[in-house]
Amino acid sequence: MRPGVYLLLLPMLLQGFTATASADIPQTHGMSYDLPELEVRPRNKPVLHLLGFVREYSSLATHTDTIYLFREKWVDFMVPGPKAGKYKGWLTPRLISSRSYYRFADGTERDSVSDRCGHHFSYADWIGLPAGKWSGQGSSETRLDGQLALSTDILADTLNRALVPAFGRYFRSGIDFDRFNVSYSFADTGTAVPDAADLTGMTFDISSEGRGRSMFRFNRDYQNIYVTTRGEMYVVERQFISVGEAKKWLDKGHSLMEMSWETPPGLPELPAETARLIERVNSIDHTSLRLNRTPSQRLVNTLPRPPKQTFLQYLKSLFVH
């Protein structure tokens, strides 16, 4: 093969060419091709780190009281690839930072708001990524606008519980779930089996009677409780890293807690009711509430210990007159 022909071979494959009889050198004419995006996965970086932003709407209701919760939080996942060896990573969301907004209501139409609550009832902390397949028995598949959505009714078949392994103890405890739907969204690359690297987000919708443990004190155990959690997780950033780097991320979680809070751009607008709740909670003057609180007299030291005196000397001084 002549050197000139060899050098023209690659452009011919990508652009096409038309040879004319009046020239010894082929004449090339540009042609446009819509080639699929090429993703490079280095062999020495077999672990996928996903950074996600979660919005959840949860409620805890009895026959007399209701607690509403809206929470936004940053989470991350560490997904090991086939060449990650014994490294397991984590497929349940690890909390990096969060903001919570609660509203408490009773049967008299009175309500109050806060950024904290003594009851943990949300299911969102246990919705993660499956270790195997992304779909189960009776799953539906939807392709629209370059996105592939796989939706599964977890309650349709016991085999579908493999998609939510962290809920195993809840199923074993006999909690009465009446709704449990999970949907994963991927960039539609045309492949038959979706990959975690193409994950763009997920949604979940859960409803149950009970929560698997006593939510209140013993004198209110007779009350039935009803819990709902629905939400969405958006993948904001993805990166392939080495196993060594992945192990270091176990310690980075604490430093990430101090990251500046910024809501990712392009998210859907919040419902008007949720926006009002955020405004009410943000208007709470925590400093004034703390200063106006009367300290318990049990915390007041009526017999201060003199300085430079050991504890034994202090005890003896109580009996010496």
Side-chain angles (χ1 to χ4, degrees):
M1 181 181 296
R2 292 185 300 170
V5 175
Y6 178 80
L7 292 176
L8 285 170
L9 178 60
L10 183 59
M12 290 176 187
L13 293 175
L14 296 179
Q15 295 182 312
F17 71 95
T18 302
T20 61
S22 59
D24 295 331
I25 301 177
Q27 304 293 317
T28 62
H29 299 275
M31 297 175 62
S32 61
Y33 287 86
D34 187 11
L35 299 176
E37 182 178 351
L38 179 63
E39 182 179 6
V40 179
R41 304 188 185 187
R43 291 185 178 181
N44 60 342
K45 295 184 177 182
V47 182
L48 175 64
H49 179 244
L50 297 175
L51 181 65
F53 187 77
V54 178
R55 280 178 170 173
E56 65 158 298
Y57 306 80
S58 296
S59 68
L60 166 67
T62 68
H63 295 298
T64 57
D65 304 285
T66 304
I67 304 175
Y68 300 96
L69 164 65
F70 171 69
R71 178 178 288 148
E72 293 182 313
K73 58 186 179 181
W74 286 95
V75 299
D76 70 342
F77 304 85
M78 202 67 73
V79 185
K83 298 183 180 181
K86 296 182 179 180
Y87 179 74
K88 301 299 182 182
W90 58 86
L91 300 180
T92 53
R94 183 181 66 160
L95 178 64
I96 297 176
S97 182
S98 69
R99 289 181 177 179
S100 301
Y101 308 88
Y102 292 92
R103 183 169 75 87
F104 308 88
D106 59 18
T108 63
E109 299 185 355
R110 296 179 302 180
D111 74 344
S112 60
V113 299
S114 178
D115 60 350
R116 62 199 68 184
C117 176
H119 303 301
H120 180 73
F121 52 89
S122 167
Y123 284 120
D125 292 342
W126 310 110
I127 294 291
L129 309 180
K133 297 181 179 179
W134 293 93
S135 59
Q137 299 296 318
S139 295
S140 62
E141 179 179 305
T142 305
R143 297 179 185 270
L144 182 65
D145 297 332
Q147 291 286 313
L148 167 64
L150 296 177
S151 303
T152 303
D153 180 358
I154 302 299
L155 303 181
D157 195 298
T158 55
L159 295 177
N160 293 347
R161 297 178 183 180
L163 296 178
V164 286
F167 278 81
R169 62 191 182 103
Y170 292 115
F171 290 119
R172 290 191 296 269
S173 64
I175 291 182
D176 186 14
F177 288 97
D178 52 43
R179 187 173 65 253
F180 201 139
N181 300 314
V182 178
S183 180
Y184 302 98
S185 298
F186 304 85
D188 190 358
T189 59
T191 57
V193 180
D195 190 271
D198 302 318
L199 183 70
T200 59
M202 60 184 293
T203 61
F204 44 90
D205 187 5
I206 308 170
S207 175
S208 71
E209 179 178 352
R211 182 61 168 79
R213 62 184 178 87
S214 177
M215 296 294 297
F216 303 106
R217 297 185 183 276
F218 66 95
N219 61 342
R220 298 180 65 184
D221 278 348
Y222 63 90
Q223 292 194 19
N224 293 331
I225 61 174
Y226 305 89
V227 176
T228 64
T229 295
R230 61 181 180 86
E232 57 264 358
M233 188 274 291
Y234 306 90
V235 175
V236 179
E237 184 179 299
R238 57 178 57 82
Q239 181 183 14
F240 284 96
I241 59 178
S242 65
V243 173
E245 290 176 296
K247 292 179 178 179
K248 293 179 181 179
W249 273 90
L250 285 174
D251 301 323
K252 286 185 179 181
H254 299 289
S255 60
L256 288 175
M257 293 289 287
E258 303 174 359
M259 65 184 291
S260 60
W261 184 275
E262 292 184 5
T263 302
L267 268 59
E269 187 176 350
L270 291 173
E273 184 178 358
T274 302
R276 286 194 297 269
L277 173 61
I278 294 175
E279 184 179 0
R280 290 180 64 186
V281 172
N282 288 339
S283 65
I284 297 175
D285 188 346
H286 292 282
T287 302
S288 297
L289 292 175
R290 192 163 50 247
L291 293 176
N292 293 333
R293 185 178 300 132
T294 303
S296 173
Q297 292 300 313
R298 293 177 299 175
L299 303 178
V300 178
N301 189 359
T302 57
L303 293 173
R305 185 173 61 186
K308 298 182 180 180
Q309 188 179 35
T310 65
F311 182 68
L312 181 59
Q313 291 173 334
Y314 168 66
L315 290 179
K316 290 181 178 179
S317 67
L318 298 178
F319 301 97
V320 176
H321 300 283

